[in-house]
Amino acid sequence: LTSPPPPGPSMASNVTNKTDPRSLNSRVFIGNLNTLVVKKSDVEAIFSKYGKIVGCSVHKGFAFVQYVNERNARA
């Protein structure tokens, strides 16, 4: 059972570190990110134009975006 996403603008999960080898190719690393200014919602807004995002995690200085498939990640 999975719980519904939390209310609010962000619909993508925080999980981007799945160990499934197929998910590795649908993940994008974003480096040199000023995370004092750029938030998760900003990353999602920018990268969602390339495909459906299923996960997004923002860390100090970098982020990962997990797309639904590899084609979106390559775009």
Side-chain angles (χ1 to χ4, degrees):
L1 269 161
T2 59
S3 58
S10 176
M11 296 303 285
S13 162
N14 287 322
V15 178
T16 58
N17 61 350
K18 293 181 180 144
T19 55
D20 178 4
R22 289 168 301 171
S23 74
L24 290 173
N25 293 330
S26 59
R27 188 174 311 137
V28 176
F29 171 77
I30 304 128
N32 198 25
L33 195 60
N34 185 349
T35 48
L36 296 174
V37 176
V38 179
K39 303 297 173 212
K40 180 182 176 195
S41 57
D42 300 321
V43 173
E44 288 180 25
I46 293 165
F47 287 87
S48 64
K49 62 182 159 192
Y50 300 103
K52 179 167 173 50
I53 295 173
V54 293
C56 180
S57 59
V58 177
H59 309 271
K60 188 176 180 180
F62 66 96
F64 283 102
V65 172
Q66 181 79 50
Y67 284 101
V68 72
N69 61 42
E70 183 177 352
R71 190 179 75 241
N72 296 155
R74 289 190 181 279

